[in-house]
Amino acid sequence: MNFSERISGRDITKEMKAFEMRAKVLPPDYQTAWKEIIQNLWIYGDSTGRNLMPIFDSVLELLEVTSEDGQSIDEVLGDDSKGFCAALVGDEGAKTYRDKWREQLNKNVAKKLGGLT
């Protein structure tokens, strides 16, 4: 990946397009699950989403293998796709980007208030 692709985010766009092409050959119920997983995982990404690319790749590989084995999507993910995604990123206590921003804002406010007293 070159510098301009990294700065512009085109590297992520290319990876996501490649993931989407792979997902198009999955059965319809797997495609629906893939879309839900992507939506549920984005909130755990950093500002660029690069930290999620290996996770997306692994999840898509799991879906490809299990669909080839003939398993149903419920056997693979269970009935809680949000819980599945939370477990992927490090358990239910994993912080979303909103949590991280809120924590940083609180630290900045506390620092400013502490400096005034």
Side-chain angles (χ1 to χ4, degrees):
M1 146 181 41
N2 66 37
F3 181 73
S4 67
E5 284 183 343
R6 189 167 174 85
I7 294 298
S8 68
R10 281 183 286 194
D11 59 323
I12 294 174
T13 303
K14 286 180 183 179
E15 276 191 81
M16 288 307 295
K17 285 183 181 180
F19 292 151
E20 291 303 321
M21 293 301 291
R22 287 170 55 192
K24 282 185 181 182
V25 299
L26 293 172
D29 54 340
Y30 275 78
Q31 289 180 25
T32 302
W34 168 249
K35 289 175 185 173
E36 286 179 26
I37 289 168
I38 287 177
Q39 289 175 351
N40 290 326
L41 281 177
W42 275 120
I43 63 170
Y44 297 104
D46 58 12
S47 61
T48 63
R50 280 187 179 84
N51 66 321
L52 295 175
M53 294 302 120
I55 295 171
F56 287 152
D57 186 42
S58 297
V59 169
L60 190 53
E61 185 175 346
L62 171 72
L63 295 178
E64 290 167 338
V65 169
T66 55
S67 71
E68 288 174 8
D69 289 345
Q71 293 181 339
S72 74
I73 195 66
D74 291 332
E75 290 176 305
V76 178
L77 302 180
D79 59 353
D80 183 17
S81 64
K82 286 186 181 183
F84 175 80
C85 292
L88 283 174
V89 294
D91 210 352
E92 289 291 331
K95 293 184 179 180
T96 67
Y97 66 89
R98 290 182 191 113
D99 295 332
K100 293 173 189 174
W101 289 346
R102 185 178 296 117
E103 187 176 294
Q104 183 61 43
L105 177 64
N106 288 340
K107 283 181 184 177
N108 290 343
V109 169
K111 186 186 288 184
K112 292 288 183 181
L113 291 176
L116 295 176
T117 60

